[in-house]
Amino acid sequence: MRRTASVPQHFQNHPHRRTRLWTVALCTALAGGVAACSPEPRTPVTVDPPPDRSVVEEVVEPSGLTRHLEALQAAADANGGNRAAATGGYEASAAYIEEQLRAAGYEPRRQEFSYDGHDNPVDTFNILADTDTGSGSGSVLVLGAHLDSVQEGPGLNDNGSGVAAVLEVALRLAEEGAVPRERIRFAFWGGEEDGLNGSAHYVEELSRAESAAHTAYLNLDVVGSPNAVTFVYDGDGSDSEEAGPEGSAAVEQVFLDILRAEGVKALPFGFIGDSDYDAFVQGGIPAGGLFTGDAGTKSEAEARSFGGQAGLQYDECFHLACDTVENVDMAVLEQMTETLMSATVSLGGIEAGLTKGSATGQGAG
């Protein structure tokens, strides 16, 4: 995650507001103006009831989350202590993700791209894998987490935690033989720490029709913080300066309702252009997701609500060498993964539901 501060008081810094105004100005200047920039009719966000939490708790396997984190740690340990883009650590991390997905019946593919690094061009890739879809509607729900770390450390909370959550949801849905109404795409982004490059490339490559078929994007970036607060991205803009694209409010409400049923009153966090949701927001695709805090400081009120210690960072190892497996709060990560699973079933229209042990097929393609 590319953040220097991570508390809701910083909502006033919204670089994407300026970008949107620039886009509008460009559209009006183009020959044909409105016709050139008018959007395709967007597939609406559809919300089904989430599954019973007890079923989700049986489906999500904490041992799986631990296994994923240990594999990412090993990738860093064997490659100079990090998993930065275009390094051996990144390649080893990607190989593990691909191996896990293939074993579950998916067909992962690499989406290659390049960007200007600090000194030289960087050649790297995203990993994408899709479920089959029962309805054949062509709509897509994307779950994403960035796979790269900073050069300074192995990045197990930022963002091995998000990677583990998205991967575990993918594996468990395949094991359950889940049949989604929407095609569910699992995305592991490259080049995030150098400027949100992988997700930006993905959105830039979408045609207007493909973009319109994306019902929502769910972002998982830093979801196992040791001094955690549960944040949900503020889709309706009620607690920050700007709402997300139409449909983002519904995505936010899904997460809030799921957490509220567990007795968790999550706090809103604005779209401040600091993670992979930004390209989707800029592209008019509804977005949302979970975040448990990084460089910001926990307030007294947050400590009363969520426990932990006021006056300390949510994650004092953010972007440092100490962001190892031991830095990840596994109880927090498990709760965020279960919440993601519930939201995916609700927003993806999982027809078969979740019934542990009753799978009849992989559900992936």
Side-chain angles (χ1 to χ4, degrees):
M1 178 170 278
R2 299 176 64 252
R3 176 178 280 117
T4 56
S6 57
V7 291
Q9 289 89 334
H10 293 180
F11 285 163
Q12 66 269 22
N13 179 22
H14 278 255
H16 58 282
R17 179 187 296 273
R18 182 172 56 254
T19 304
R20 284 182 179 172
L21 292 174
W22 180 87
T23 302
V24 171
L26 176 63
C27 286
T28 57
L30 287 171
V34 174
C37 291
S38 59
E40 293 280 329
R42 178 161 298 284
T43 303
V45 175
T46 303
V47 179
D48 292 348
D52 186 273
R53 188 70 174 210
S54 64
V55 175
V56 175
E57 289 172 351
E58 287 189 42
V59 169
V60 173
E61 298 182 3
S63 62
L65 295 170
T66 299
R67 184 175 68 253
H68 305 329
L69 292 178
E70 288 176 345
L72 297 177
Q73 181 72 64
D77 291 345
N79 291 279
N82 70 69
R83 301 179 303 101
T87 65
Y90 187 80
E91 179 61 41
S93 300
Y96 174 77
I97 299 299
E98 292 166 330
E99 176 188 1
Q100 294 293 305
L101 291 169
R102 288 193 187 99
Y106 294 95
E107 297 178 0
R109 59 197 183 278
R110 294 188 177 190
Q111 182 186 41
E112 298 180 348
F113 63 96
S114 300
Y115 62 92
D116 292 331
H118 299 296
D119 300 312
N120 300 294
V122 176
D123 299 318
T124 188
F125 55 88
N126 301 320
I127 299 173
L128 307 173
D130 292 2
T131 63
D132 285 331
T133 180
S135 66
S137 66
S139 57
V140 182
L141 171 68
V142 182
L143 280 60
H146 74 85
L147 183 55
D148 62 317
S149 75
V150 292
Q151 293 277 354
E152 290 76 10
L156 267 292
N157 189 30
D158 183 18
N159 182 37
S161 61
V163 168
V166 172
L167 179 59
E168 189 63 14
V169 168
L171 300 184
R172 300 287 71 80
L173 288 179
E175 181 183 55
E176 289 289 301
V179 180
R181 177 186 58 245
E182 321 290 358
R183 181 178 299 278
I184 300 174
R185 178 164 295 158
F186 305 99
F188 303 89
W189 309 119
E192 191 269 359
E193 296 291 3
D194 292 333
L196 314 179
N197 293 286
S199 52
H201 176 78
Y202 174 86
V203 174
E204 287 167 2
E205 289 295 298
L206 297 174
S207 68
R208 286 167 58 187
E210 288 170 336
S211 175
H214 281 58
T215 59
Y217 171 65
L218 309 183
N219 192 63
L220 275 286
D221 189 359
V222 182
V223 286
S225 306
N227 195 27
V229 167
T230 301
F231 293 110
V232 171
Y233 289 112
D234 187 22
D236 64 5
S238 60
D239 292 276
S240 53
E241 286 191 359
E242 188 170 337
E246 183 177 357
S248 301
V251 175
E252 177 190 11
Q253 196 61 51
V254 166
F255 281 111
L256 292 176
D257 288 346
I258 291 167
L259 289 163
R260 188 177 295 115
E262 289 298 298
V264 178
K265 186 178 181 181
L267 298 181
F269 197 91
F271 291 120
I272 60 174
D274 63 345
S275 190
D276 289 301
Y277 60 75
D278 190 56
F280 292 86
V281 170
Q282 300 290 342
I285 297 170
L290 299 166
F291 170 55
T292 59
D294 49 29
T297 301
K298 178 173 279 189
S299 68
E300 293 284 353
E302 290 169 347
R304 288 192 294 271
S305 296
F306 297 95
Q309 191 165 347
L312 296 182
Q313 284 184 199
Y314 304 118
D315 180 0
E316 294 197 319
C317 287
F318 175 62
H319 283 187
L320 298 176
C322 58
D323 187 11
T324 63
V325 168
E326 289 74 21
N327 186 51
V328 178
D329 187 313
M330 292 305 300
V332 171
L333 176 55
E334 182 180 355
Q335 183 185 53
M336 295 300 97
T337 305
E338 291 170 354
T339 301
L340 177 64
M341 176 68 84
S342 295
T344 302
V345 171
S346 177
L347 293 166
I350 303 294
E351 297 172 5
L354 295 176
T355 54
K356 182 67 172 173
S358 67
T360 57
Q362 292 292 333

